[in-house]
Amino acid sequence: MATVKTQVSEALLGTTEEPGLSQQTRDMFMKHAVQDPETGERFLGQDEFISAIAPESEDYHKIRRPQYGILFKVADPRGRGRVNLSDWATFDNLLAKPDAEYEITFRLFDINGDGVVSFEEFQRLMNANRGDASIPFDWNSGWASLYIGGKKHRHDMTYPQFAQMLRGLQGEKIRQAFHHFDKNGDGYIDPEDFQLIIRETASHKLSDHLLDNLQTLCNIGAGTKISYANVRAFQNMMREMDLVELVVRNATLKSEDGKITRTDFLNEAARITRFSLFTPMEADILFHFAGLDEPTGRLSLPDFAKVLDASWHNSYSGPPDPAEHTKEAGAEKLSKAKTIAHAFLEPIHHFALGSIAGAFGAFMVYPIDLVKTRMQNQRSQRVGERLYANSIDCAKKVVRNEGVRGLYSGVLPQLVGVAPEKAIKLTVNDIVRGTFTEKGSNRIWWPHELLAGGSAGACQVIFTNPLEIVKIRLQVQGEMAKSSGTPRRSAMWIVRNLGLVGLYKGASACLLRDVPFSAIYFPAYNHLKRDFFGESPNKKLGILQLLTAGAIAGMPAAYFTTPCDVIKTRLQVEARKGEQTYTTLRHCAKTVYQQEGFRAFFKGGPARVLRSSPQFGFTLAGYEVLQTLLPMPGSKSEGDPRGHAEPAVGLKEARAPLPYLRSRNALKIILDLDQNFGKPRMPTGPKGGWMSGIPGFSKPAASQET
């Protein structure tokens, strides 16, 4: 019950979010959070946190899903073992930073949270996650001393220093590993040792095809061993995978059969690079691994995909399946067709909802509109013609003489005609306003606001004028039947009698009324929402606030355009015997002023305000409710972005949301340090160690330098 009350309250009064906390962030947290039965607080444990940043539908054959638990420590800096909404918002905001991958890694090692990473902190965390069979690394080497100082002069690393150290760490690990296996010091190692080095330092970045054939690198030369030059060239190719793909992509597009040779690759590289030229050995290594299944030396993009695409599985080996290619092409065309269909159906959906809402608003205030019309048509200068003393007297006499149904005389054409009228008005205003609105700031110059509203009012006259003239004649025929015995006519009779030209009688007066009305209403409505009620990306207005804004904006718009409405009514109403007839807009205005005075131009003004203000309020409120009850099918994408967390070969960007991509990339940097980060391990110390909340983090032994 409390939930229902809360939802109703939010719908009516609106909601205000915490600054910087987007609805997407909140929704993701609430989707995975659990509730503490004692305190009622909602939070993410480690399992729920992993589910939030690593959906089960993704491919985790490179980086295991439990390893994402490493990032839980970053999201839970206080070490409470739970992440609340505030912690999650902070972490989600961190993921949105352009350098999020390196900053996440820095915060993981900044155990004290003081903005620097000391050597003791760094080594402590490294020792807690090193595998028992890991290749040793010398932190007293000349390279390491350049970043952290010598053994007797260690210094803390700032974030920029730490990030730059990580950038070169993998290369130094490979160099030291080569020395470790080069027992003879002759500059050569066995292929099995090379495979062990690469698997330990880069298996999370390379394809299965590449990892399973590493030992074949020795075949690019005459010997059976692998030189340090081979290892360095291989590492350079790994680091330049994105550039390699660009060169391959460009070269294959220029080839008639989509295949290229080593020479084609080097020629294309010379065309598109300035400084990153590839050496002959690097090109040999690329074509060696890409051409293992194609010994002719002419390779296509699918051949290179086995090397360039880290998500490539061995199960995908063999020539590309034409049926699969056709399936993907068909899926892409279907997706485009759905997009086009959605773009076509969305305005129809809005049109339909606007029509229903507009009809609802018109029906609610129709009795007021009828009273307004009869007051405006009253000719007070004729003896005995003054039927109504005021609007209230008019309403009473209509009910007494014609019954309650008399208040709804002519309502049907009004409901039928209001649909296209409201749809055109809202659509044109949105289009013109959107054209002049500054991108990013969402600001618009006030004359452009007036132009947008005025354009909307002008376009709606196409439907408004026929609707108005039929409605007015239906509204006044009740009093005509009472006073002169004129028979009642149906709406269809009036339409046939007027003809096409007659339906647009008084169109100039209709333009004179609707253009300024919309020019006043729409800017006033938008400024009320923003400046008075405080609408913003963090504050969503409720139905009552929207209704109030619409009603207030309609008051000046309705009252100040009443003279135009009086002239329009006089031109469109069917004159009775002995009554003044009007030929033109100017003639009508002049005659009314001479015979009835200036006050006659504001006849029915209060009734017009009472009708227009609530009508727009009801229309907007109804529209908001209908959008909630009848959302556009397919307007929200559902499901997880399966298979799209890695960029695809062929310069196709990853389509997964940025938080997934940032989390994955951060883990790649962390795993560059050691492949065992985040892997479950047997406990080696007392339960509840200093980082027991993260898989693989056990209580370390006393720190010592290696």
Side-chain angles (χ1 to χ4, degrees):
M1 186 67 181
T3 303
V4 174
K5 288 183 178 179
T6 301
Q7 292 176 345
V8 172
S9 176
E10 290 180 351
L12 293 175
L13 303 178
T15 58
T16 302
E17 298 178 354
E18 300 175 19
L21 186 59
S22 70
Q23 188 62 41
Q24 183 180 5
T25 300
R26 182 188 297 274
D27 290 345
M28 182 61 70
F29 177 84
M30 298 304 293
K31 179 180 178 181
H32 298 281
V34 295
Q35 189 170 19
D36 189 320
E38 296 181 1
T39 64
E41 179 190 26
R42 299 190 69 85
F43 67 93
L44 299 175
Q46 183 168 286
D47 292 339
E48 293 79 22
F49 176 82
I50 293 175
S51 296
I53 65 171
E56 294 183 0
S57 58
E58 277 294 343
D59 182 359
Y60 296 103
H61 89 285
K62 284 297 172 186
I63 301 177
R64 301 302 178 187
R65 191 164 178 266
Q67 290 182 282
Y68 281 78
I70 300 170
L71 307 182
F72 184 76
K73 176 62 180 177
V74 179
D76 179 30
R78 291 168 289 180
R80 300 192 308 156
R82 59 171 59 186
V83 171
N84 59 25
L85 180 57
S86 177
D87 296 331
W88 171 254
T90 302
F91 181 77
D92 190 62
N93 180 258
L94 173 61
L95 289 176
K97 289 190 174 184
D99 57 343
E101 296 87 346
Y102 283 98
E103 188 162 347
I104 286 173
T105 309
F106 178 79
R107 293 193 183 188
L108 177 66
F109 281 88
D110 181 16
I111 299 173
N112 297 329
D114 53 4
V116 294
V117 174
S118 66
F119 177 71
E120 290 74 19
E121 287 177 319
F122 183 78
Q123 191 178 46
R124 183 183 182 189
L125 195 52
M126 286 293 298
N127 288 342
N129 289 276
R130 285 177 59 83
D132 296 333
S134 297
I135 300 173
F137 184 84
D138 182 13
W139 286 101
N140 294 318
S141 66
W143 178 90
S145 298
L146 293 175
Y147 288 97
I148 59 177
K151 186 174 182 179
K152 296 182 179 179
H153 302 283
R154 301 294 191 198
H155 65 77
D156 298 339
M157 287 181 286
T158 62
Y159 169 55
Q161 293 171 337
F162 180 81
Q164 201 60 45
M165 184 269 292
L166 293 179
R167 177 74 170 166
L169 180 59
Q170 189 178 54
E172 177 64 12
K173 288 182 65 178
I174 292 176
R175 187 190 70 81
Q176 289 194 24
F178 186 91
H179 280 296
H180 175 76
F181 288 107
D182 182 16
K183 304 297 184 182
N184 299 327
D186 58 358
Y188 290 92
I189 60 175
D190 292 329
E192 292 77 12
D193 295 332
F194 169 71
Q195 187 175 33
L196 180 61
I197 293 173
I198 299 303
R199 280 189 171 276
E200 182 166 324
T201 57
S203 63
H204 58 291
K205 290 183 175 180
L206 304 179
S207 68
D208 290 353
H209 170 82
L210 202 53
L211 292 172
D212 290 344
N213 293 283
L214 288 171
Q215 71 278 4
T216 66
L217 181 61
C218 63
N219 293 332
I220 69 169
T224 59
K225 289 195 173 185
I226 296 175
S227 68
Y228 182 68
N230 297 145
V231 175
R232 182 58 69 183
F234 180 85
Q235 184 193 5
N236 290 344
M237 292 301 295
M238 283 196 307
R239 294 190 61 174
E240 299 292 345
M241 284 292 194
D242 294 330
L243 179 58
V244 169
E245 180 180 339
L246 178 61
V247 175
V248 169
R249 177 75 170 176
N250 283 8
T252 54
L253 288 175
K254 295 177 181 178
S255 173
E256 293 182 359
D257 60 355
K259 296 183 178 182
I260 62 173
T261 63
R262 174 180 177 276
T263 301
D264 297 328
F265 173 80
L266 290 174
N267 288 340
E268 188 62 29
R271 292 189 185 98
I272 67 174
T273 61
R274 293 190 179 97
F275 309 109
S276 300
L277 294 177
F278 297 99
T279 66
M281 182 178 288
E282 291 168 358
D284 288 340
I285 290 175
L286 172 64
F287 274 76
H288 165 73
F289 286 108
L292 287 175
D293 299 322
E294 186 61 47
T296 62
R298 290 186 60 79
L299 307 180
S300 63
L301 193 60
D303 296 320
F304 290 103
K306 293 182 289 187
V307 175
L308 301 174
D309 187 0
S311 62
W312 191 90
H313 289 243
N314 275 334
S315 57
Y316 303 157
S317 60
D321 185 2
E324 186 65 23
H325 177 74
T326 304
K327 181 180 177 181
E328 291 180 0
E332 184 175 355
K333 289 183 179 180
L334 179 61
S335 177
K336 290 182 179 179
K338 287 182 177 179
T339 301
I340 295 173
H342 188 273
F344 174 75
L345 293 174
E346 188 173 18
I348 297 178
H349 174 259
H350 292 320
F351 184 95
L353 296 188
S355 301
I356 298 172
F360 169 70
F363 183 83
M364 295 299 292
V365 300
Y366 190 82
I368 302 176
D369 186 58
L370 181 134
V371 171
K372 181 266 306 180
T373 300
R374 294 201 178 183
M375 286 296 298
Q376 290 177 344
N377 188 50
Q378 181 172 252
R379 319 295 173 94
S380 60
Q381 80 279 9
R382 291 176 59 87
V383 178
E385 187 69 24
R386 189 178 180 86
L387 297 178
Y388 316 115
N390 50 49
S391 296
I392 297 177
D393 179 58
C394 176
K396 289 180 179 179
K397 288 182 178 179
V398 168
V399 173
R400 183 171 62 248
N401 296 329
E402 305 171 41
V404 176
R405 293 181 60 182
L407 293 173
Y408 287 92
S409 298
V411 70
L412 184 59
Q414 171 77 346
L415 298 183
V416 173
V418 79
E421 173 196 343
K422 298 302 180 189
I424 285 183
K425 176 185 287 190
L426 296 173
T427 301
V428 172
N429 177 72
D430 287 344
I431 291 175
V432 178
R433 189 179 182 88
T435 301
F436 291 106
T437 299
E438 295 179 5
K439 301 298 184 292
S441 65
N442 289 326
R443 294 180 179 178
I444 182 173
W445 190 32
W446 67 267
H448 291 157
E449 288 187 286
L450 297 178
L451 176 63
S455 301
C459 292
Q460 80 174 68
V461 172
I462 299 173
F463 291 94
T464 302
N465 206 82
L467 163 70
E468 289 282 332
I469 195 169
V470 173
K471 181 196 70 173
I472 287 173
R473 297 204 173 189
L474 286 172
Q475 286 178 337
V476 300
Q477 69 178 358
E479 64 182 28
M480 292 173 64
K482 182 74 175 177
S483 60
S484 60
T486 305
R488 290 181 177 270
R489 308 293 186 182
S490 67
M492 290 304 300
W493 185 92
I494 294 174
V495 171
R496 287 195 299 267
N497 185 59
L498 288 172
L500 181 62
V501 176
L503 287 173
Y504 284 92
K505 183 180 180 181
S508 56
C510 203
L511 277 171
L512 192 62
R513 179 198 65 177
D514 291 345
V515 170
F517 179 92
S518 296
I520 295 172
Y521 177 77
F522 283 110
Y525 174 67
N526 283 285
H527 280 280
L528 280 168
K529 288 198 301 178
R530 186 185 64 198
D531 301 332
F532 186 78
F533 291 104
E535 184 181 44
S536 69
N538 295 325
K539 182 177 181 180
K540 179 183 177 182
L541 300 186
I543 294 175
L544 291 180
Q545 293 165 315
L546 292 173
L547 191 152
T548 304
I552 295 175
M555 291 178 181
Y559 192 76
F560 289 128
T561 56
T562 299
C564 305
D565 194 50
V566 169
I567 295 173
K568 179 193 70 68
T569 300
R570 295 291 180 93
L571 285 170
Q572 292 181 335
V573 77
E574 185 178 6
R576 288 168 284 183
K577 291 182 179 181
E579 285 188 339
Q580 175 71 51
T581 57
Y582 310 105
T583 56
T584 64
L585 187 151
R586 182 178 180 182
H587 174 255
C588 178
K590 182 179 179 181
T591 304
V592 169
Y593 179 74
Q594 290 176 344
Q595 296 181 355
E596 304 175 48
F598 181 76
R599 294 182 61 182
F601 288 110
F602 287 91
K603 285 183 177 181
R608 179 169 162 77
V609 170
L610 289 175
R611 191 266 300 180
S612 296
S613 295
Q615 179 179 0
F616 277 93
F618 281 121
T619 299
L620 289 170
Y623 188 70
E624 293 288 334
V625 172
L626 287 171
Q627 279 188 316
T628 303
L629 297 177
L630 303 171
M632 174 69 184
S635 59
K636 293 184 179 180
S637 57
E638 297 180 358
D640 295 313
R642 183 178 179 82
H644 299 127
E646 286 284 355
V649 172
L651 303 181
K652 296 179 181 178
E653 66 180 19
R655 287 177 286 174
L658 268 180
Y660 297 161
L661 304 181
R662 296 292 194 191
S663 301
R664 177 210 62 193
N665 292 341
L667 279 177
K668 286 184 177 180
I669 294 175
I670 295 171
L671 294 179
D672 281 348
L673 298 169
D674 198 287
Q675 294 288 307
N676 292 291
F677 262 93
K679 288 185 178 179
R681 299 172 64 186
M682 294 297 292
T684 58
K687 186 177 181 181
W690 69 283
M691 293 190 74
S692 59
I694 304 178
F697 291 174
S698 56
K699 188 173 181 178
S703 174
Q704 60 181 18
E705 298 184 11
T706 57

